[in-house]
């Protein structure tokens, strides 16, 4: 039943602190979309299968991991830090390596799975910077795509992985 | 510049989460609507009590069928000249049918209110099995229709039945098989939805909706709601996939409009996945009996098909008016036959409406699947290699343009070349050796071929219309003074990359960079009339319109350039991006210079108005007929029924490729559909009409794990009648691939004496087939 009972939620989303009173039943994805205007994160199903709503979430000072925000209550995000696809690009708008690779390797068509797919890929590459194709497929198996047949997504994630590894190596090379 | 691999312009917003899909639309004061749906497949509505729902704080309106009746909106016309209940009044006719609509401050409250509506139903006997729909005494589903005493919708035939009969009678070999193409669902990742905003002061209705055909929707709203067409603006923003599921008009769109009129506020309706799967357009559900006649050495002579088409409770099938079974009569495929005929009977059942969707090109999925399955059935009986049988019967390049026994005129094709290329890519002979070796070790591997001919680009308006709207499409091109251009189209991308590829067509014709060309689509106030995107018709129809409108602009540019250079237009020669004086290439004017001059005080010849723009309406002379050769390799474990798709080779020929990168992406996506339909996807029903594929827990879509790395090849056989030689391609892979997968699995099961089993070939169905007990997959009513 609808309830006027609300709970204060304080969360960092894409680097900004938001404090809101939300109903305990409100799903995180709806909170992000409807309260915070973060409509880049979308809803594709009602059974936690499709992964379109994937965002990164962690405790304020801990590591973030991908979650399906349709299966998290907004109140559970109290004290958390959340990154959505809208918070991924750099301060000057420069694309994250995964975003750039998705564009260059045509890993998106309608674009609806893309935000969740990109967030899952970012999480995957943090855990495993040099995955095999099979590991990429396994790592993204919680994200459905209806347009691409996945192959260009796998290629994009591999390309992003290579770019990120090169980035990570840069400071070392610079000191040599 | 022009044709070739070009990264997509639309990506910039999508990879940043800055797309603008319907559910992203937020308007001041916007309310949210949600449906109460029927738990029964067939039941009389005795009473509806909405009082408790109306009393819930935050609820603004509860709309029932009785309310709609007062507005004459309880029923709406379908794309097949039938009627469909917007909200059920007399009875419900399929599970999850719309019964009432709540409008509330937010969708949580709307959902709460649904729980408070009391409906008393009186259950009625259910028709869940299409094969029982015409049985004597079957419950009559459409008793709303005056004098309707059965569940028959239509009979439709094509081909020369008499001649076909004659060829069958004198043929050495005749093989028959029952082939079901089960009910599936396109299931784009974004469901259907709308935001309706009726402005009482101006009388203008703006509706943002998930539509593949915004102009057709506007006309239908005008006809249904009685609103004047110039006061209706349909905006189809970014669409999260369509696949044919967003062609028709759903009750949710109508209720969002009614809700907005009733409350005076914008109303959003966004369905969830369960609603989408159970109540929007399904695909297929063709029960086919195929018969193939041949000589003993494998020359195919004739094909005959009887189809029982399950259309659900309302005939809402989307297809050109004269074609109640779509283009199914292209079922003779890629082969040179003496005769063919088909009979299609459509029936009502207690299921959701639909039929034509999911990249089917108006039932060509069914047609291609039927013929490619029958070829393999014949190969099984003749103990012939299915590749050899196909090579023996494929149409030859010199036969084009080729008129089929059912009347299609194929534009162009070089079929043997494409099949041989696919066979070379997969190393077919080696694979057969490997298969034999594996079998001797007790391992089951299968190789499946599908060679298909598509028919896309509907279509010539003399023969093809939807609800009386001829299938021609407009295009408008305007070049601004500084040489930047705006192209306005009637088609509506749902991810196919139109914003990029249509800019490439203009770039190819005018030499303006694609980055300087904005493609506007999806807004009926901003774009010329046309029928929208489905049936892979965008490139054949609007692609042609775009090339032609660009050529019209070029013709104007020639006159302007001749005035600038003070020579006769005939003395000018075009080189991409500029006109120059014949024999004096230094005397040239670029398209940008011409654009500025066209807007300047330059004196132009009598009758030339200046500016640099043009409009056109393209009425295609024929469809385009892309084709493809697909080969699938699977490993099957008969003990568990597990199928692993090891390789998939796809050679597509869609004529000239505007953007090969985008074509390949289209093919990849369609191939995944083939894996999904062949191995996983199914909407089955139990005998009470309960929907057994109502969520993504049960209706399985392929993930990255089930899809192999696709191996693509191409040949290029341009369409002779198309301005740039391009054919449609978007649906080819969905049309062509299921048969390749099924043929591969059944090839692996050949040692078990399995000639045919129906999709989806899930582990349990494969296991059953290997046991010699294949089942009908569409019903949970088992033996």
């Amino acid at each position: 039943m609808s309830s006027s009972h609300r709970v204060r939620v304080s969360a960092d989303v894409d680097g900004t602190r938001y404090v809101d009173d939300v109903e305990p039943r409100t799903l995180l994805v709806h909170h992000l979309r409807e309260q915070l205007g973060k409509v880049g994160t979308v809803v594709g199903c009602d059974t936690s299968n499709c992964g379109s709503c994937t965002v990164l979430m962690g405790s304020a000072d801990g590591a973030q991991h991908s979650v399906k925000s349709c299966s998290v209550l907004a109140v559970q995000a109290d004290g958390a830090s959340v990154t959505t696809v809208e918070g991924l690009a750099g301060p000057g708008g420069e694309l994250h390596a995964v975003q750039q690779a998705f564009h260059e390797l045509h890993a998106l068509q309608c674009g609806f799975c893309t935000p969740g797919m990109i967030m899952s890929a970012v999480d995957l590459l943090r855990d495993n910077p040099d995955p095999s194709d099979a590991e990429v497929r396994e790592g993204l198996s919680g994200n459905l795509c209806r347009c691409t047949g996945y192959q260009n997504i796998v290629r994009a994630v591999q390309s992003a992985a290579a770019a990120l590894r090169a980035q990570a190596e840069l400071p070392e090379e610079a000191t040599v | 510049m022009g044709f070739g691999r070009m990264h997509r312009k639309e990506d910039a917003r999508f990879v940043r989460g800055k797309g603008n899909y319907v559910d992203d639309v937020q308007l001041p004061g916007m309310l949210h609507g949600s449906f109460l749906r029927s738990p029964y497949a067939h039941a009389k509505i005795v009473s509806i009590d909405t009082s408790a729902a109306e009393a819930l704080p935050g609820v603004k309106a509860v709309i029932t069928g009785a309310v709609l009746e007062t507005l004459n909106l309880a029923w709406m016309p379908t794309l097949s000249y039938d009627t469909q209940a917007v909200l059920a009044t007399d009875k419900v006719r399929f599970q999850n049918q719309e019964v009432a609509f709540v409008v509330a401050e937010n969708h949580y409250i709307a959902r709460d209110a649904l729980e408070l509506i009391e409906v008393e139903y009186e259950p009625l006997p259910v028709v869940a099995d299409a094969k029982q729909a015409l049985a004597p005494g079957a419950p009559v589903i459409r008793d709303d229709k005056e004098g309707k005493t059965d569940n028959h919708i239509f009979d439709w035939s094509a081909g020369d039945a008499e001649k076909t009969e004659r060829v069958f009678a004198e043929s050495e070999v005749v093989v028959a098989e029952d082939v079901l193409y089960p009910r599936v669902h396109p299931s784009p990742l974004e469901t259907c939805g709308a935001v309706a905003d009726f402005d009482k002061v101006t009388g203008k209705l703006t509706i943002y909706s998930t539509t593949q055909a915004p102009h057709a929707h506007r006309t239908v709203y005008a006809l249904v709601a009685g609103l004047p067409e110039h006061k209706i603006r349909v905006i189809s923003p970014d669409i999260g996939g369509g696949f044919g599921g967003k062609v028709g008009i759903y009750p949710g769109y109508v209720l969002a409009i009614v809700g907005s009129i009733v409350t005076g506020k914008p109303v959003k309706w966004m369905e969830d996945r369960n609603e989408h799967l159970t109540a929007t357009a399904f695909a297929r559900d063709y029960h086919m009996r195929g018969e193939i006649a041949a000589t003993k050495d494998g020359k195919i002579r004739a094909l005959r098909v009887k189809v029982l088409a399950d259309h659900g409770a309302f005939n809402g099938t989307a297809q050109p008016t004269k074609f109640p079974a779509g283009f199914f009569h292209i079922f003779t495929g890629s082969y040179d036959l003496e005769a063919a005929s088909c009979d299609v009977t459509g029936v009502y059942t207690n299921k959701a409406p639909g039929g034509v969707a999911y990249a089917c090109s108006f039932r060509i999925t069914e047609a291609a699947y039927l013929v490619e399955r029958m070829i393999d059935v014949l190969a099984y009986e003749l103990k012939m290699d299915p590749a050899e049988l196909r090579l023996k019967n494929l149409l030859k390049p010199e036969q084009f343009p080729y008129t089929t026994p059912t009347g299609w005129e194929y534009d162009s094709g070089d079929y043997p070349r494409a099949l041989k290329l696919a066979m070379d890519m997969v190393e077919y002979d080696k694979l057969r050796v490997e298969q034999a070796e594996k079998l001797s070790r007790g391992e089951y591997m299968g190789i499946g071929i599908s060679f298909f001919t598509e028919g896309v680009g509907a279509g010539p308006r003399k023969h093809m219309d939807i609800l009386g709207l001829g299938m021609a499409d407009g295009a408008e091109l305007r070049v601004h003074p500084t040489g930047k251009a705006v192209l306005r189209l009637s088609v509506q991308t749902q991810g196919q990359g139109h914003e990029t590829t249509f800019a490439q067509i203009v770039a190819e014709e005018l030499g303006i960079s694609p980055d300087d060309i904005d493609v506007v689509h999806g807004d009926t106030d901003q774009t010329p009339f046309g029928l929208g995107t489905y049936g892979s018709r965008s490139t054949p129809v609007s692609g042609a319109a775009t090339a032609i409108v660009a050529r019209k602009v070029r013709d104007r540019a020639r006159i302007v350039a001749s005035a600038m250079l003070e020579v006769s237009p005939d003395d000018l020669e075009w080189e991409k991006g500029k006109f120059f004086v014949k024999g004096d290439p230094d005397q040239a004017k670029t398209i940008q210079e011409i654009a500025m001059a066209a807007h300047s005080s330059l004196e132009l010849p009598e009758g030339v108005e200046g500016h640099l723009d043009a409009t056109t309406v393209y009425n295609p002379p024929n469809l385009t007929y892309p084709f493809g050769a697909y080969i699938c390799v699977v490993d099957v474990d008969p003990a568990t029924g597990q199928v692993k798709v090891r390789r998939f080779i796809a050679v597509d020929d869609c004529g000239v490729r505007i953007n090969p990168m985008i074509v390949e992406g289209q093919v990849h996506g369609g191939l995944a559909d083939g894996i999904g339909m062949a191995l996983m996807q199914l909407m089955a029903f139990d005998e009470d009409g309960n929907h057994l594929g109502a969520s993504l827990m049960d209706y399985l879509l392929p993930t990255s794990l089930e899809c192999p790395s696709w191996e693509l090849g191409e040949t290029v056989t341009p369409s002779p009648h198309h301005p740039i030689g391009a054919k449609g391609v978007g649906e080819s892979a969905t049309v062509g691939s299921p048969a390749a997968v099924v043929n591969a699995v059944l090839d692996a099961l050949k040692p078990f004496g399995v000639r045919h089993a129906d999709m989806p070939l899930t582990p349990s169905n494969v296991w059953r087939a290997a046991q010699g007990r294949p089942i009908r997959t569409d019903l949970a009513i088992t033996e």
Side-chain angles (χ1 to χ4, degrees), chain A residues 2 25 27 30 33-34 40 44 46 49 86 93 99 103-104 106 109-111 113 137 146-151, chain B residues 7-8 11 15-16 21 23-24 107-108 112 186-187 273-274 358 494 665-666 668-669 702 704 707 709-710:
Chain A
S2 80
R25 64 172 175 171
L27 298 175
H30 291 140
R33 289 179 56 80
E34 288 158 25
D46 46 13
N49 294 89
E86 294 173 61
Q99 292 173 307
H103 169 58
E104 285 174 3
H106 189 36
Q109 292 180 29
C110 81
C113 77
R137 287 181 181 274
R146 299 292 293 138
C147 296
T148 65
Y150 300 104
Q151 184 161 332
Chain B
H7 292 143
R8 296 202 321 167
D11 290 352
V15 297
R16 290 177 165 89
Y21 302 96
D23 199 22
D24 302 344
H107 60 102
Y108 282 75
D112 288 338
S187 205
R273 178 61 47 185
N274 164 268
Y358 205 174
Q494 314 120 47
Q666 294 283 289
H668 288 173
S704 46
C707 294
S709 279
W710 318 108

Side-chain angles (χ1 to χ4, degrees), chain B residues 169-181:
Chain B
E170 66 190 30
S171 285
E172 295 168 344
V173 181
V174 171
V175 187
E177 187 63 72
D178 285 318
V179 176
L180 168 70
Y181 207 134

